[in-house]
Amino acid sequence: MARNLVAAVFVAVLGVAAMFQGTSAATYTVGDATGWRIPSNVNFYDDWTDNKIFHVGDVLVFNFATGAHDVVEVGTENAFDTCAGANPVRTITTGPASITLNRTGDYYFICTIGTHCTAGQKVKIDVEMGTSPPSTTPGTSPTPGASPTTPSGTNTTTSTTTPAPSSASSLVATLSLVFVSIALVLFF
């Protein structure tokens, strides 16, 4: 009887672990192939976000040349609208830059180099709870598992946030549960 109970718990634990294993974050390259630069029209980045739903744990990659642009997160819609980067939440000056979206709500990013922001180099990201589905269209964002690379081919990640749990941490959690379940079977 005890073995049947332990076996049922084991199966339930594996089922729950499998559900968590399937959740993953998406990586979006801001502006897709255009990257993070002065756009051809002031609505470019607003148009870029139109058909995207961002979730907690997703990663934004801003592709830009160091020294030519920056990524400044501002804390208010007013600072975003007026391109006021005087009191930033964070500033990243080395490209490419990766930022993990670690909360729900609005994020506001601008470039503070010259008049880039007033020329349209700014993006508002609305983040929801949940997970992003993998991309179904080749060559468009999101691209789960992608990582930015510099021209030399070395991975570069610049972020001041704590990343959301990844598939690797889900795997560790799953393996831990498996070992605990095996221990229960052996000792009871």
Side-chain angles (χ1 to χ4, degrees):
M1 177 73 172
R3 284 202 183 267
N4 288 343
L5 179 61
V6 171
V9 169
F10 178 73
V11 169
V13 166
L14 284 179
V16 169
M19 286 189 317
F20 287 118
Q21 184 84 7
T23 62
S24 65
T27 298
Y28 293 89
T29 299
V30 176
D32 293 325
T34 300
W36 184 241
R37 64 178 187 84
I38 301 171
S40 55
N41 73 67
V42 295
N43 296 318
F44 175 81
Y45 291 106
D46 186 45
D47 294 343
W48 176 79
T49 63
D50 278 349
N51 296 318
K52 293 173 180 56
I53 299 173
F54 301 95
H55 295 98
V56 173
D58 287 351
V59 177
L60 299 178
V61 177
F62 291 82
N63 284 328
F64 64 95
T66 300
H69 304 285
D70 61 14
V71 178
V72 175
E73 181 183 351
V74 294
T76 66
E77 189 168 11
N78 184 54
F80 175 78
D81 290 340
T82 61
C83 295
N87 297 307
V89 173
R90 79 177 104 198
T91 300
I92 302 172
T93 58
T94 305
S98 296
I99 297 175
T100 301
L101 303 172
N102 64 357
R103 61 171 173 77
T104 58
D106 293 330
Y107 284 79
Y108 304 98
F109 300 101
I110 65 174
C111 178
T112 61
I113 305 292
T115 59
H116 296 190
C117 179
T118 56
Q121 192 175 355
K122 60 183 182 176
V123 64
K124 175 185 171 186
I125 305 293
D126 180 32
V127 179
E128 301 177 0
M129 288 299 296
T131 59
S132 292
S135 176
T136 56
T137 308
T140 62
S141 292
T143 51
S147 64
T149 56
T150 61
S152 64
T154 58
N155 285 338
T156 303
T157 303
T158 306
S159 178
T160 57
T161 61
T162 305
S166 66
S167 294
S169 62
S170 295
L171 179 60
V172 169
T174 301
L175 290 176
S176 298
L177 292 173
V178 168
F179 286 125
V180 167
S181 298
I182 290 170
L184 286 172
V185 169
L186 292 175
F187 293 110
F188 291 103

